[in-house]
Amino acid sequence: MPTIIVEGPPISVEKKRELVKRFTKVASEIYGIDHITVIIKENSPENVGINGELLLDFKKKQ
Amino acid sequence: MPTIIVEGPPISVEKKRELVKRFTKVASEIYGIDHITVIIKENSPENVGINGELLLDFKKKQ
Amino acid sequence: MPTIIVEGPPISVEKKRELVKRFTKVASEIYGIDHITVIIKENSPENVGINGELLLDFKKKQ
Amino acid sequence: MPTIIVEGPPISVEKKRELVKRFTKVASEIYGIDHITVIIKENSPENVGINGELLLDFKKKQ
Amino acid sequence: MPTIIVEGPPISVEKKRELVKRFTKVASEIYGIDHITVIIKENSPENVGINGELLLDFKKKQ
Amino acid sequence: MPTIIVEGPPISVEKKRELVKRFTKVASEIYGIDHITVIIKENSPENVGINGELLLDFKKKQ
């Protein structure tokens, strides 16, 4: 612990690398703990709803 | 916020559309907040256990 | 299963009753499953950040 | 309820079977409740960070 | 990792001790990993809904 | 979305403010999205197990 669960859209491995590195730095400084776990959850747009609409449909209108 | 995480079996996009729409309506009425996020998690039967048995095995017996 | 986890602000027991009843109706109709679990998580404003600001601080400015 | 969410690496169906069986036994004995749900989440090494590093990169160095 | 999140009713410290010990043994044997984190979430009956009813109300009828 | 759930020990409001600010900055830069939600979960040492032992007991031995 601490364990950080990140619910977001799919991202590249390079961005995951950066996300883990920077989140771990922030969390270990704030919690004063070295052992930090980050779990990245990639959610496709058809599995996310914002204000009543699937992200999939919202993006089609963009 | 509020954020609603739905752990269930795989469903069609059409059903996801309905789920997001109806959950958002209920949540915004009850919480009095418009910005509602719904995250749908699709779990395959081999990743779910009910009363000690994989759903995968339970379904084979049906 | 399905299990619905609702991350939101504190609400009254009466509202929880309504939330469980209405979410369960929607979920059982969409998933075609009767056994639905709803877990309500009440988060205080000092534990929620929106767009970089604690909800606690955002509310002080309202 | 109780619902047990297991965040871990991918494992075989055989191991999932054992995990569900043994977790359910422990949980029902401790909680004194029969209806136990186990949800197994399989996370690929590129989606997990330990101490600032992607598990994917950590494993390459092994 | 692995991280086990247990959503259940309130239990005694003694039972938590046993839950952590036994879950960790099962998980480390199955995953072949020693570093196991268990996070116990205690949910009051007014925050849990089963089949459309608050556990709080269901228990009153028992 | 993205939604970041942080499972950790109790921390001060001042630290929560910093955590939200810095996590939001990292996440919005990496995901390229402004609307970021952070949910901080404070877990007491009796509800966390590390390597088979309650954090509560581990701390007593320190």
Side-chain angles (χ1 to χ4, degrees):
Chain A
M1 228 196 192
T3 300
I4 304 160
I5 298 173
V6 190
E7 295 282 2
I11 48 174
S12 69
V13 173
E14 206 32 56
K15 290 201 172 197
K16 291 174 188 174
R17 212 166 261 135
E18 187 190 350
L19 191 72
V20 160
K21 195 176 158 197
R22 294 175 65 186
F23 267 12
T24 300
K25 184 174 183 296
V26 172
S28 55
E29 283 173 15
I30 288 174
Y31 282 104
I33 299 173
D34 290 334
H35 191 85
I36 308 284
T37 303
V38 178
I39 304 175
I40 299 168
K41 298 288 183 182
E42 299 183 276
N43 300 275
S44 94
E46 69 170 60
N47 285 345
V48 179
I50 307 280
N51 302 349
E53 191 178 28
L54 279 189
L55 211 49
L56 177 75
D57 300 332
F58 177 78
K59 289 188 174 207
K60 277 181 200 159
K61 292 187 292 187
Q62 300 309 297
Chain B
M1 226 198 190
T3 300
I4 304 160
I5 298 171
V6 190
E7 296 281 3
I11 49 174
S12 68
V13 174
E14 205 32 55
K15 289 199 170 195
K16 291 174 187 175
R17 214 167 258 134
E18 186 189 349
L19 190 73
V20 160
K21 196 174 159 200
R22 293 175 66 186
F23 267 13
T24 301
K25 184 173 185 296
V26 171
S28 56
E29 282 172 16
I30 288 174
Y31 283 104
I33 299 173
D34 290 333
H35 191 86
I36 309 284
T37 303
V38 178
I39 304 174
I40 299 168
K41 298 290 185 183
E42 299 183 276
N43 300 274
S44 93
E46 71 171 60
N47 286 346
V48 178
I50 306 281
N51 302 349
E53 191 180 25
L54 279 189
L55 210 50
L56 177 74
D57 299 332
F58 177 78
K59 290 187 173 207
K60 278 182 202 159
K61 293 186 291 187
Q62 299 312 297
Chain C
M1 231 199 186
T3 300
I4 304 160
I5 297 173
V6 189
E7 296 281 2
I11 49 174
S12 69
V13 173
E14 206 31 57
K15 288 200 172 196
K16 291 173 189 175
R17 212 165 262 135
E18 186 189 348
L19 191 72
V20 160
K21 194 175 161 202
R22 293 176 65 187
F23 266 12
T24 301
K25 183 172 184 299
V26 171
S28 55
E29 282 171 17
I30 287 174
Y31 283 104
I33 298 172
D34 290 334
H35 191 86
I36 309 285
T37 303
V38 179
I39 304 174
I40 299 168
K41 298 290 185 180
E42 299 184 276
N43 300 274
S44 93
E46 71 170 60
N47 284 346
V48 178
I50 307 281
N51 302 348
E53 191 179 26
L54 278 188
L55 211 50
L56 178 74
D57 299 334
F58 177 77
K59 290 188 173 207
K60 277 182 201 159
K61 294 187 290 187
Q62 301 312 297
Chain D
M1 228 198 188
T3 300
I4 303 160
I5 298 171
V6 189
E7 296 280 3
I11 49 174
S12 68
V13 173
E14 206 31 58
K15 289 201 171 196
K16 291 174 187 173
R17 213 165 260 134
E18 186 189 349
L19 191 72
V20 160
K21 195 174 160 200
R22 293 174 67 186
F23 267 13
T24 301
K25 184 173 184 298
V26 172
S28 57
E29 283 172 15
I30 289 174
Y31 283 103
I33 299 173
D34 291 333
H35 191 85
I36 308 285
T37 303
V38 178
I39 304 174
I40 299 168
K41 298 289 184 181
E42 300 185 275
N43 300 274
S44 93
E46 70 170 61
N47 284 346
V48 178
I50 307 278
N51 302 348
E53 190 179 27
L54 279 188
L55 210 50
L56 177 75
D57 300 333
F58 177 78
K59 289 187 173 206
K60 278 181 202 159
K61 294 187 292 187
Q62 299 313 294
Chain E
M1 228 196 188
T3 301
I4 303 160
I5 298 173
V6 190
E7 296 281 2
I11 49 174
S12 68
V13 174
E14 207 31 55
K15 289 200 171 197
K16 290 173 188 175
R17 213 165 259 136
E18 186 189 350
L19 191 72
V20 159
K21 195 174 159 201
R22 294 176 65 186
F23 267 12
T24 301
K25 184 173 184 301
V26 171
S28 55
E29 283 172 18
I30 287 175
Y31 282 105
I33 298 172
D34 290 334
H35 191 86
I36 308 284
T37 303
V38 178
I39 304 174
I40 299 169
K41 298 289 183 182
E42 298 184 277
N43 301 274
S44 95
E46 70 171 61
N47 284 345
V48 178
I50 307 279
N51 302 348
E53 191 179 28
L54 279 189
L55 210 50
L56 177 74
D57 300 332
F58 177 78
K59 290 188 174 207
K60 278 182 201 159
K61 293 187 291 188
Q62 299 312 296
Chain F
M1 230 199 187
T3 300
I4 304 159
I5 299 172
V6 189
E7 296 281 2
I11 49 174
S12 68
V13 173
E14 206 32 57
K15 289 200 170 197
K16 291 174 188 176
R17 212 165 261 135
E18 187 189 348
L19 190 72
V20 160
K21 196 175 159 200
R22 294 176 65 186
F23 267 14
T24 300
K25 184 173 184 297
V26 172
S28 54
E29 282 173 17
I30 288 175
Y31 283 103
I33 299 172
D34 290 335
H35 191 87
I36 309 284
T37 303
V38 179
I39 304 175
I40 299 169
K41 298 290 185 182
E42 299 184 276
N43 300 274
S44 93
E46 70 171 60
N47 284 346
V48 178
I50 308 279
N51 303 348
E53 191 179 28
L54 278 189
L55 211 50
L56 177 74
D57 300 333
F58 177 78
K59 289 188 175 206
K60 278 181 200 159
K61 293 187 292 188
Q62 299 314 297

